[in-house]
Amino acid sequence: MPQPVELPHEPRADGDPMGTPADDETVLWKGRPDPHVLARTAMHTRSLAVYFAVLVGVWVFSGNPNAAITFAVLGVIAIAILYSIAWFSARTTLYILTETRLIMRIGMAIETRINVPLRHVQAANLRARGSGHGDITLELGGERLLGYVLLWPHVRPWHLHRPQPMLRAVPDAAKVAEMLADSCAAIGEIERGKAGAATGDERPAPAAHAGSASFAASRRAPSPVRLEEATA
């Protein structure tokens, strides 16, 4: 059984059943996003830096150093702001996985506590982000939908119609994904197989991203949960 992870400066929700595991719940894992990975993947700071570098280069070769300096300063300011947002978002976020649910305590200005019962998880997809970090997206069943703006940045980009909660930039993402699959296995049956081997009523795993690992655990009642792993 994995040991609970104690994090410094955790957001507190003492006595709140929405944000605090009950006494009879087993906390399997606690974690929060890595601020540097969050800035790169959610705030797109690397892409923004390349964009401003190109602009600066264009103005330098055009013989306009004043414009180049202006865009360089603007680029530094923009990236600094995004890094600050990522750092503050990571500091005010706490993901808690128990044997029955996933608790997301998020919100930079006002803390929001979101409960995701594991029995509602239809699929979980892992996208590796380097150095053991990764994003884990949850596809949920049921009629109740979570708001995209409420979840941001802990949400899969551009899925506005049915927002999908996302554990962003978590360390040891593969282990967390396995832990999530094992928790779902305690609720429903689970099969382990190779990627692309799903047949019949089983749902195929999502395509792996180039240069990254892919994980999927899909559920379709009354069919069993399927866990698939693939490497690009």
Side-chain angles (χ1 to χ4, degrees):
M1 177 68 66
Q3 296 298 319
V5 178
E6 298 296 332
L7 298 176
H9 310 297
E10 291 184 2
R12 293 185 177 274
D14 296 330
D16 179 8
M18 287 291 291
T20 303
D23 293 336
D24 58 351
E25 280 187 278
T26 301
V27 176
L28 304 177
W29 172 79
K30 292 181 181 181
R32 54 165 47 102
D34 180 278
H36 302 290
V37 179
L38 184 65
R40 172 170 55 85
T41 59
M43 309 301 171
H44 305 287
T45 52
R46 180 176 295 178
S47 299
L48 189 64
V50 172
Y51 172 75
F52 275 101
V54 170
L55 290 179
V56 170
V58 168
W59 287 115
V60 168
F61 284 107
S62 299
N64 193 334
N66 291 333
I69 294 174
T70 299
F71 277 100
V73 172
L74 290 176
V76 170
I77 293 174
I79 293 172
I81 291 174
L82 293 178
Y83 259 104
S84 298
I85 294 174
W87 179 86
F88 194 59
S89 177
R91 185 177 177 84
T92 55
T93 295
L94 182 63
Y95 305 132
I96 305 175
L97 176 65
T98 75
E99 77 277 19
T100 59
R101 60 175 172 156
L102 173 69
I103 303 171
M104 302 175 67
R105 283 157 50 175
I106 60 178
M108 289 178 279
I110 300 176
E111 184 182 272
T112 301
R113 298 147 196 168
I114 298 173
N115 275 293
V116 181
L118 297 184
R119 67 179 183 274
H120 292 166
V121 177
Q122 291 187 331
N125 307 310
L126 166 65
R127 181 176 182 182
R129 293 296 192 174
S131 301
H133 296 82
D135 300 331
I136 303 174
T137 304
L138 304 179
E139 299 179 24
L140 306 180
E143 298 298 327
R144 183 179 179 183
L145 298 178
L146 300 172
Y148 188 93
V149 175
L150 175 69
L151 288 170
W152 189 90
H154 314 276
V155 62
R156 186 176 182 181
W158 308 117
H159 283 65
L160 303 178
H161 179 61
R162 293 189 66 87
Q164 300 176 7
M166 176 184 286
L167 306 184
R168 284 275 194 178
V170 294
D172 297 323
K175 292 182 180 179
V176 176
E178 287 288 348
M179 202 177 303
L180 178 61
D182 291 340
S183 300
C184 290
I187 299 174
E189 294 180 354
I190 193 166
E191 291 183 357
R192 294 178 183 268
K194 295 181 179 179
T199 58
D201 292 334
E202 296 172 347
R203 299 177 61 184
H209 297 272
S212 67
S214 176
F215 159 91
S218 61
R219 183 193 303 274
R220 292 181 67 181
S223 300
V225 177
R226 181 173 183 83
L227 170 64
E228 297 178 344
E229 297 175 87
T231 54

